[in-house]
Amino acid sequence: MRKWWLTSGLIFAIAIVASLLDSPGTKPVSALSMLNPSHECDFCHNVHGVGFPQLLNNASVEALCLSCHGPAGPSSLKADVHLYDNSTCKDCHVSHSNVQNWLGGTNLKLVREEVVDPRLGTDRPLVFESRGTSVGDPTLHSFCDGDEDGNGVWDGACDTCHTDEDEHDYNDTGSHSHRQGQTCTQGGCHTHVTRFKDP
Amino acid sequence: MLSRFAQAALVIVVLGGCQETPGFQPESAALLGRGALPPAAELQSPLRIAAHKSGSFFVSDYMAGMVFEVEVNLARAMITRAFDVSGRPLGVAAAGQLLLVGNAEAGSVDAYNAKNGKWLFSLGGITDPTDIAVDEKGRRAFVLDGRAGQVKIFNLKRGNLVGTISGPGVGEYDLTHPTGIAYDRGQIIVSDYGDPSLSVPARIKIFDTGGSSVIAFSGNARFSRPQGLDVDSRGRIVFVEAVAGEVHVLDRESGATVGVVGGFGTNPGELWLPLDVVVDDTDQALVTSNRTRRVEILDLGGLP
């Protein structure tokens, strides 16, 4: 029985590898490259030359992200730096593929399924499946949807980190009506580049 | 510009706020430009740096929305003026008494009087004015339009477009993902990330001002994210490698790497996302280290 499993596993592995090997004119497609064609593995990982060993730490990962998404990078999606000086891109984003959130959906924009509450240091769930009405998406599970699904968990992208703000806290205190369901990072409002601060 | 004593040691001049060093407090808070120098002027997101004929340097700060003038004296640097410019500044260059600033929001290069900060005119039709160079007489501006994949040449006296170089593409002399530009002795030098997913390597490309390609050096394994660049006193190409946090010096004829200085890190003298470099006449390289919010000065004089 054990031998059968080993043999089956080997055959399965060979099949997977074979499926990834180049057939003429094709390349293996990573999950990330489906998000953006320029995000093939070798766009970030210098696999055959001198790599950057410092990519082992978050600061260097951030340098890699910002080399394209920073102010001087070629991407039109500008991130620059984030809200907290000690945070890095990876605090809110995963590197390689969109992840499943606690409700079973898939978060957009490589946003994590959990982020650390900046005040308490504990994990908070985050659901970000829609960019909001400003871009024609639904309000549900957008930046801040006012707990539209009614499950009592304030898990919108904005709500998740707000602990003591006037608006969009991750509980039912304060106001949740400000620009509810809209795209917070557009229109010159709470952009990455202003560290999400008020315009 | 710097004393021989200062050159002998690796001179590290720290500007701006960071955890390792206290925020820089300017000694002379002059009220110049379109806005006042902030009480505790410090760099937030230093991007491009350019030399001015007065001996000072201009640093664009994307997040602050300012261009800072920096003066270097011995081992000390000071922010002496702050220009509250329109939009988010990208490229910066000085042409005589003109201060040229790339405006990311308007898609223009805005020209200011470098003495009083007064806006004079704008050069339009630019998608992404990521970097700017000027010729030796300050008559022409070479604007790198990053996302358009073009160098746009403007006559600064007339304020009109007089030519373009290259275009978006993946060929050896096309501009794929260009990032930085410099001008030296009739040649335009452009850094380009290339596109690894299309097997287009990072390159340093040289054009003449007529747009003809001269040479292109492939990064191969030595660099992959070349950003701002300049030339040293011997005409060698000096550029920053943004991810590795290094300053590379290339032989201009062969493309061979002459030397690499700096290194990734957050300590003074180390670079975290360096985005531009300017080399003075004593071969001191002033480098904008974006994430440490500093301008570092590295000595290139020890290279062969």
Side-chain angles (χ1 to χ4, degrees):
Chain A
M1 185 67 180
R2 179 180 170 83
K3 189 175 179 181
W4 182 88
W5 273 105
L6 284 172
T7 305
S8 301
L10 182 61
I11 292 171
F12 180 72
I14 290 172
I16 290 293
V17 171
S19 70
L20 293 175
L21 289 175
D22 278 355
S23 57
T26 64
K27 294 182 73 174
V29 179
S30 69
L32 194 58
S33 72
M34 289 190 286
L35 301 172
N36 183 333
S38 67
H39 281 172
E40 273 291 353
C41 304
D42 48 9
F43 205 82
C44 296
H45 299 282
N46 191 0
V47 289
H48 292 130
V50 176
F52 300 116
Q54 65 272 26
L55 283 181
L56 295 173
N57 68 59
N58 282 359
S60 58
V61 170
E62 180 160 320
L64 184 61
C65 298
L66 293 179
S67 68
C68 288
H69 295 287
S75 174
S76 59
L77 301 173
K78 299 296 187 190
D80 201 39
V81 296
H82 287 226
L83 182 58
Y84 304 100
D85 286 343
N86 293 328
S87 68
T88 72
C89 307
K90 289 182 70 178
D91 290 335
C92 297
H93 297 276
V94 291
S95 303
H96 291 119
S97 58
N98 283 331
V99 296
Q100 188 179 63
N101 58 50
W102 74 288
L103 297 177
T106 301
N107 282 353
L108 303 173
K109 301 290 180 183
L110 303 177
V111 168
R112 287 189 177 282
E113 76 280 22
E114 286 184 331
V115 294
V116 177
D117 181 326
R119 192 177 62 141
L120 302 177
T122 54
D123 287 342
R124 293 270 312 158
L126 196 159
V127 175
F128 185 56
E129 300 172 357
S130 166
R131 296 173 59 210
T133 56
S134 308
V135 294
D137 288 352
T139 57
L140 180 66
H141 298 159
S142 59
F143 288 89
C144 39
D145 65 2
D147 192 28
E148 188 175 334
D149 54 15
N151 60 11
V153 181
W154 303 80
D155 49 16
C158 299
D159 306 305
T160 296
C161 280
H162 279 208
T163 58
D164 56 358
E165 301 290 334
D166 294 334
E167 293 152 338
H168 300 301
D169 282 5
Y170 59 48
N171 53 41
D172 58 2
T173 63
S175 170
H176 287 269
S177 60
H178 170 71
R179 306 283 184 182
Q180 191 178 97
Q182 297 186 24
T183 305
C184 306
T185 56
Q186 281 199 333
C189 293
H190 306 287
T191 60
H192 284 83
V193 81
T194 60
R195 304 179 182 185
F196 307 115
K197 290 179 180 177
D198 293 340
Chain B
M1 192 171 300
L2 297 173
S3 72
R4 286 292 159 189
F5 173 79
Q7 291 176 49
L10 173 65
V11 181
I12 302 163
V13 178
V14 179
L15 298 172
C18 63
Q19 292 181 333
E20 294 76 21
T21 55
F24 173 74
Q25 297 289 331
E27 292 183 346
S28 57
L31 180 62
L32 291 171
R34 295 172 62 225
L37 189 65
E42 58 181 35
L43 303 175
Q44 296 182 45
S45 180
L47 183 58
R48 305 296 188 196
I49 185 168
H52 187 232
K53 63 180 183 180
S54 67
S56 62
F57 300 89
F58 291 113
V59 178
S60 60
D61 191 313
Y62 187 72
M63 186 178 295
M66 312 278 274
V67 171
F68 293 105
E69 184 171 9
V70 174
E71 292 186 1
V72 179
N73 186 12
L74 297 177
R76 187 171 179 81
M78 291 189 299
I79 297 174
T80 54
R81 292 196 293 174
F83 295 88
D84 185 6
V85 297
S86 297
R88 295 210 169 272
L90 294 175
V92 65
Q97 288 305 318
L98 293 179
L99 170 62
L100 304 173
V101 184
N103 182 335
E105 293 174 5
S108 62
V109 169
D110 301 330
Y112 300 88
N113 184 314
K115 283 187 175 179
N116 59 25
K118 181 182 177 183
W119 173 83
L120 299 173
F121 60 89
S122 293
L123 308 170
I126 306 160
T127 309
D128 179 31
T130 184
D131 202 5
I132 307 168
V134 296
D135 67 13
E136 59 272 74
K137 295 181 179 178
R139 293 176 179 170
R140 289 173 298 175
F142 306 96
V143 180
L144 180 62
D145 192 338
R147 283 197 288 281
Q150 287 183 322
V151 177
K152 293 177 176 169
I153 306 173
F154 290 90
N155 180 314
L156 287 174
K157 190 172 183 179
R158 297 177 179 173
N160 62 326
L161 181 71
V162 295
T164 59
I165 293 177
S166 190
V170 296
E172 188 173 10
Y173 295 106
D174 293 329
L175 297 180
T176 309
H177 289 122
T179 53
I181 189 169
Y183 172 90
D184 182 61
R185 291 176 285 181
Q187 292 187 328
I188 299 163
I189 310 167
V190 180
S191 54
D192 193 327
Y193 282 7
D195 189 335
S197 63
L198 300 174
S199 298
V200 179
R203 289 188 175 108
I204 304 296
K205 305 175 184 186
I206 302 177
F207 303 90
D208 65 27
T209 54
S212 298
S213 52
V214 177
I215 197 167
F217 304 129
S218 168
N220 292 322
R222 298 304 304 267
F223 58 86
S224 67
R225 295 292 194 275
Q227 274 281 349
L229 30 69
D230 199 359
V231 295
D232 68 6
S233 61
R234 288 187 269 179
R236 300 181 300 193
I237 299 170
V238 180
F239 69 91
V240 291
E241 159 49 63
V243 175
E246 297 170 340
V247 178
H248 289 230
V249 181
L250 300 185
D251 181 274
R252 191 150 161 176
E253 302 297 325
S254 67
T257 300
V258 174
V260 176
V261 299
F264 179 86
T266 59
N267 295 313
E270 297 174 336
L271 305 170
W272 184 7
L273 194 67
L275 294 178
D276 202 9
V277 59
V278 62
V279 184
D280 72 10
D281 52 10
T282 63
D283 283 341
Q284 304 291 314
L286 282 79
V287 182
T288 54
S289 179
N290 183 263
R291 290 298 284 128
T292 53
R293 307 181 189 179
R294 294 196 293 255
V295 174
E296 304 282 358
I297 300 184
L298 304 176
D299 186 9
L300 305 180
L303 296 176

